[in-house]
Amino acid sequence: MDRLELPNQLVAVLADPLLQKLLLLRPSGESFLRVANWLNAALQDVVDGDTDEATLWEMMEVVRDFVVQTKNLPSTILNFFARFFQLWSGSGNKDCIFEMLAYSPLHDFQELYQSIFQPLEAAVADNQPATQLGLLNMYTNLVHHWASLLKSSKNIPAHASRAITSTVQHAGTLALTLLQTSPTLSSESAILAFYEQNMALLTDDTLKNYICIELPPSALIYLLVFSQSLATVARLCHIMASYKKGFETAMKIRGSPDTPTIDASSYTHLDVTRYNGNLLDIVNLHWRMHAFGVEKEVEQGCMVPGPARARLERYVAAVDRGFTLAGMLSLSYSPQFCLQSIETLRALEDRQIAVDAAIETRHAGPVSQDSLRKLGTSGGIRIGFNGYRASVLETLRGKGLGGVEELLKVSMPSVAKAIESWAGRQTT
């Protein structure tokens, strides 16, 4: 391989898979510099009016194929983009740029942002969801690329955690903008895909000891909690449950300033308090029937202002005095869960009726603790409220929506006990 020489025509290298591998196996700063000079010359020709933009984009696509195939964006080519974004109007094949920058080297994110990503975002800014989605997907792929680099590295760079958390923090702001601009299921899915990619770092057996948790913005968490999609809620709950495990592990470790590993000192009191508040708000919604509560110091009431909460309470009471705002988003009443909940109860009734002909009454729904008690004394099945809710969570888990159960179990020991008790009864 040492005797092999790259051809003078650099296009041949970039377009030929075998020559791409040669350049990857025997990287040459001179060759990468030639690529950058080639692009700079083409860019200057466009600026001078000696060629059209189509020619430049054709060259960009050749470089894109090289970068994607080799999974490597050399710094010399990255430097070209620093100049290109100062001149670019944002028109043309944006996806081509996004695909290349997803393979940026693992540098300090603030430096990358100032020289590359901020000029890029300024150039493509058009307030269009498609562009925002493209940027978010780029950051998702960037975190994936960095995760691959870290997993294959013998030593974790000291700046790795800071680079990852800064990227997640910036992408969180972008995700919040996207969801406000385009509150669609595709936006929600892309946002969750980003945090799931980050979660892969936080749950890796090795990397979890070196990468800090960076929480999504609270407003973003609550927007996703109130999604119309049960799958969105379940995915979010799975992510939040994983954070819980990460925080608990870190709090048990007392490290030293000389070690880069994550320990109790890696997180501020504000970090932990905000997370606990987010977690408790979700538990209040789905299990404790205490939606928008703010009695405890850490509770944020899902960031719903007090006057708005009071108006909602009056509205719910006006619709039906039997309803309360605090319980309207629980497993039985929530638009996300109510169908799964009543179908679970119907299945329990069918199963019991099949072996007990004396059961004559079915629950009309929706289910509450009081209604189950009345059902048991009026010819219906006898089941406790916690048993019913544990059964609903079991149903969700069986449909691939186990994130809700996972979050509730790690948050409240009583939920774990209820689920364990219910499972024990089903096996006896």
Side-chain angles (χ1 to χ4, degrees):
M1 188 178 74
D2 291 337
R3 292 195 296 270
L4 292 175
E5 295 293 336
L6 293 170
N8 291 328
Q9 293 297 322
L10 205 55
V11 177
V13 178
L14 300 179
D16 188 290
L18 291 177
L19 293 176
Q20 288 175 2
K21 291 180 180 178
L22 174 60
L23 187 55
L24 184 63
L25 292 171
R26 199 180 69 186
S28 165
E30 179 184 353
S31 297
F32 291 140
L33 184 59
R34 286 167 59 194
V35 175
N37 290 339
W38 180 53
L39 289 171
N40 274 307
L43 177 61
Q44 190 61 48
D45 286 343
V46 173
V47 172
D48 294 340
D50 295 334
T51 190
D52 57 13
E53 290 189 15
T55 301
L56 176 62
W57 283 109
E58 288 175 4
M59 298 169 69
M60 287 277 207
E61 289 169 5
V62 172
V63 176
R64 184 270 314 277
D65 292 342
F66 165 75
V67 169
V68 171
Q69 287 296 323
T70 61
K71 295 179 172 54
N72 177 47
L73 181 59
S75 296
T76 49
I77 300 179
L78 199 63
N79 292 336
F80 158 77
F81 285 121
R83 179 182 177 226
F84 174 70
F85 294 146
Q86 300 298 327
L87 302 172
W88 186 35
S89 66
S91 61
N93 190 353
K94 291 191 284 282
D95 289 339
C96 176
I97 302 295
F98 295 157
E99 288 180 58
M100 283 190 276
L101 291 181
Y103 292 98
S104 297
L106 180 57
H107 292 168
D108 180 83
F109 180 76
Q110 294 304 323
E111 294 179 3
L112 282 174
Y113 184 69
Q114 290 177 8
S115 61
I116 302 296
F117 294 121
Q118 187 176 41
L120 165 68
E121 292 180 7
V124 302
D126 56 7
N127 294 320
Q128 294 300 311
T131 300
Q132 295 166 350
L133 187 60
L135 286 168
L136 181 61
N137 288 336
M138 178 192 71
Y139 286 122
T140 301
N141 293 330
L142 177 65
V143 172
H144 174 76
H145 175 59
W146 285 355
S148 299
L149 294 178
L150 291 172
K151 288 178 181 179
S152 61
S153 176
K154 293 182 179 179
N155 299 308
I156 306 300
H159 70 280
S161 181
R162 184 175 65 254
I164 297 293
T165 54
S166 296
T167 305
V168 174
Q169 185 178 44
H170 177 70
T173 302
L174 175 62
L176 184 57
T177 301
L178 170 62
L179 198 54
Q180 292 170 330
T181 305
S182 177
T184 63
L185 293 182
S186 60
S187 295
E188 293 174 358
S189 184
I191 291 167
L192 290 166
F194 172 80
Y195 284 103
E196 286 165 347
Q197 182 57 62
N198 179 51
M199 189 179 67
L201 280 166
L202 303 174
T203 55
D204 181 84
D205 288 341
T206 299
L207 298 181
K208 67 182 180 182
N209 299 314
Y210 297 92
I211 307 299
C212 274
I213 295 170
E214 179 66 32
L215 296 173
S218 291
L220 180 61
I221 292 173
Y222 297 132
L223 285 173
L224 293 172
V225 163
F226 295 123
S227 166
Q228 298 179 15
S229 167
L230 181 52
T232 292
V233 177
R235 289 171 69 185
L236 174 68
C237 287
H238 174 62
I239 293 168
M240 296 296 287
S242 297
Y243 291 159
K244 173 76 170 178
K245 298 170 186 175
F247 276 121
E248 288 181 342
T249 300
M251 292 303 115
K252 296 175 183 177
I253 300 174
R254 294 292 181 267
S256 68
D258 300 328
T259 59
T261 54
I262 303 303
D263 56 38
S265 65
S266 302
Y267 301 105
T268 66
H269 176 70
L270 183 62
D271 292 331
V272 178
T273 299
R274 182 165 83 83
Y275 172 73
N276 286 334
N278 296 149
L279 203 66
L280 186 54
D281 283 348
I282 298 174
V283 172
N284 283 344
L285 291 173
H286 301 323
W287 187 266
R288 297 182 68 230
M289 303 182 71
H290 190 57
F292 312 118
V294 290
E295 285 76 13
K296 294 184 179 180
E297 185 178 353
V298 298
E299 291 176 333
Q300 301 179 38
C302 298
M303 299 180 71
V304 176
R309 186 168 59 251
R311 291 189 65 181
L312 286 171
E313 288 172 345
R314 291 195 297 270
Y315 171 76
V316 170
V319 171
D320 190 323
R321 290 190 176 277
F323 292 164
T324 63
L325 178 63
M328 287 299 292
L329 294 169
S330 62
L331 294 178
S332 294
Y333 290 88
S334 167
Q336 304 150 332
F337 297 103
C338 61
L339 177 61
Q340 306 297 328
S341 296
I342 196 62
E343 286 185 347
T344 297
L345 184 62
R346 292 284 177 261
L348 292 172
E349 289 176 330
D350 290 343
R351 192 184 312 161
Q352 194 64 30
I353 290 172
V355 297
D356 187 353
I359 295 177
E360 300 176 343
T361 306
R362 285 183 178 271
H363 196 295
V367 178
S368 67
Q369 189 166 7
D370 186 54
S371 69
L372 283 180
R373 186 166 51 249
K374 292 178 180 178
L375 180 68
T377 59
S378 59
I381 65 171
R382 294 179 178 273
I383 182 174
F385 191 50
N386 278 348
Y388 150 74
R389 293 191 292 180
S391 182
V392 173
L393 296 177
E394 182 182 57
T395 297
L396 294 175
R397 175 166 32 90
K399 295 183 177 181
L401 302 168
V404 181
E405 179 187 57
E406 185 182 1
L407 180 140
L408 293 173
K409 285 174 67 175
V410 300
S411 305
M412 298 183 66
S414 61
V415 178
K417 289 180 180 178
I419 293 171
E420 183 179 343
S421 175
W422 173 255
R425 292 180 184 179
Q426 302 311 298
T427 56
T428 57

